[in-house]
Amino acid sequence: MIRARREALGCHSLIRGDCLSVMRRMPIGSVDVVVTSPPYNLGLAYRSYKDSLSEENYLTWMEAICRKIARVMRDDGSFFLNIAGSSAQPWLPFELMVRLREIFNLQNHISWVKSIAVGEITYGHFKPVNSSRYVNRNHEHVFHLTKRGDVEIDRLGAGVPFTDKTNIPRRQHGEDRRCRGDTWYIPYETVRSKTARFSHPSTFPVALPERCIRLHGVRSDMVVLDPFMGTGTSLIAAESLGVRGIGIESDTGYVRIARKRLRSMLQQTG
Ligand SMILES: C[S@@+](CC[C@H](N)C(=O)[O-])C[C@H]1O[C@@H](n2cnc3c(N)ncnc32)[C@H](O)[C@@H]1O
């Protein structure tokens, strides 16, 4: 077992440790938003975490972690869980969601679209998939889980301007902003090397946690937790929105990268 190590950077906390045991010691109801992407059990090459549990062990582990998330989350908090299946384990995200029914309500189900064909034009990066059985996997799930299913969200805070501006007076909208819906196109930035993606096999773009936090609604005194912090992307999003972030990561090397990213952002902003 690794002993947890906590450090402060600006208003944020970076914790090197096992999220299950760290969350066990966090105060009940102390977090407003949890936004995270756990390992997907795909056999990815993380620095130290072995991403290849049996399906049953993975589901049991994830259920235990989600119970701890419910413990540290406020009753009016939001848990955004980013996860995807694979051709080898297509049922996995759905199996997990069925288990989580006992703990959470599924308030919104968002599709994070990483690449898309609109008509004959493609956007984003298409991974080369050569298969006679499967189409390209272009999207992942973002499950918005809440304790009672009645958390008021800020649809316009995460919204988009109207394309047809005549809608604004015609439909008596107070501002040029509408709900963006449950399909979020957020491509990865183009990178030329692994190091540009922080030598981590599965980061998400900053815009993803940022939009989740905005959708919940930003308050200056709020706390955002990412129990699988990886390279610290959720903390970068928290910093960009001026809210406090707590990140937990079991691998020392990834904590180092998160620290470096956050420190350089804090230096830039002042
Ligand atoms: C999908 S990645 C998260 C990537 C992150 N969203 C980013 O943008 O960098 C999952 C992370 O969970 C970490 N991890 C695995 N088991 C853990 C545990 N028990 N406690 C904390 N972190 C863990 C892995 O080392 C890995 O970095």
Side-chain angles (χ1 to χ4, degrees), residues 17-19 37 46 49 200 202-204 227-228 231 233 249-250 254:
D18 167 31
C19 62
S37 175
Y46 291 103
Y49 174 75
H200 189 290
S202 60
T203 59
F204 48 34
F228 294 102
T231 61
T233 313
E249 167 59 50
S250 57
Y254 296 147

Side-chain angles (χ1 to χ4, degrees), residues 2 17-20 36-40 46-49 61 65 82 198 200 202-205 226-234 248-251 254 261:
I2 39 171
D18 167 31
C19 62
L20 201 54
T36 200
S37 175
Y40 297 174
Y46 291 103
R47 273 174 46 98
S48 49
Y49 174 75
W61 178 63
I65 286 168
N82 164 224
F198 314 109
H200 189 290
S202 60
T203 59
F204 48 34
D226 187 343
F228 294 102
M229 171 181 70
T231 61
T233 313
S234 302
I248 311 169
E249 167 59 50
S250 57
D251 186 276
Y254 296 147
R261 283 181 83 187

Side-chain angles (χ1 to χ4, degrees), residues 2-159:
I2 39 171
R3 264 191 75 204
R5 236 188 96 162
R6 176 188 287 261
E7 64 187 286
L9 213 49
C11 62
H12 311 287
S13 301
L14 279 74
I15 304 168
R16 197 280 321 267
D18 167 31
C19 62
L20 201 54
S21 42
V22 172
M23 285 192 288
R24 209 173 275 142
R25 291 192 300 275
M26 284 173 65
I28 294 172
S30 56
V31 168
D32 295 271
V33 173
V34 178
V35 56
T36 200
S37 175
Y40 297 174
N41 211 36
L42 296 177
L44 290 189
Y46 291 103
R47 273 174 46 98
S48 49
Y49 174 75
K50 301 281 175 279
D51 190 32
S52 49
L53 296 172
S54 71
E55 197 162 313
E56 182 53 33
N57 285 351
Y58 175 78
L59 290 169
T60 304
W61 178 63
M62 277 302 300
E63 187 185 331
I65 286 168
C66 291
R67 284 190 186 279
K68 290 289 167 282
I69 288 174
R71 184 188 163 276
V72 300
M73 197 169 102
R74 284 167 56 122
D75 288 346
D76 59 358
S78 287
F79 171 21
F80 295 93
L81 174 62
N82 164 224
I83 194 161
S86 68
S87 306
Q89 297 180 118
W91 292 106
L92 199 69
F94 307 106
E95 301 265 9
L96 177 60
M97 292 316 289
V98 170
R99 289 199 181 200
L100 298 189
R101 276 183 88 152
E102 263 189 35
I103 316 168
F104 292 107
N105 272 272
L106 178 55
Q107 192 168 321
N108 287 285
H109 179 190
I110 293 151
S111 286
W112 166 27
V113 175
K114 299 183 285 184
S115 48
I116 190 166
V118 179
E120 297 299 307
I121 301 176
T122 60
Y123 299 90
H125 301 279
F126 281 66
K127 271 195 186 162
V129 169
N130 229 340
S131 170
S132 56
R133 286 194 288 165
Y134 304 120
V135 292
N136 268 77
R137 280 184 177 264
N138 294 0
H139 82 286
E140 298 195 3
H141 307 281
V142 179
F143 296 111
H144 175 214
L145 300 156
T146 59
K147 290 194 182 172
R148 293 190 298 259
D150 60 358
V151 172
E152 274 193 35
I153 52 171
D154 187 0
R155 288 154 40 110
L156 300 190

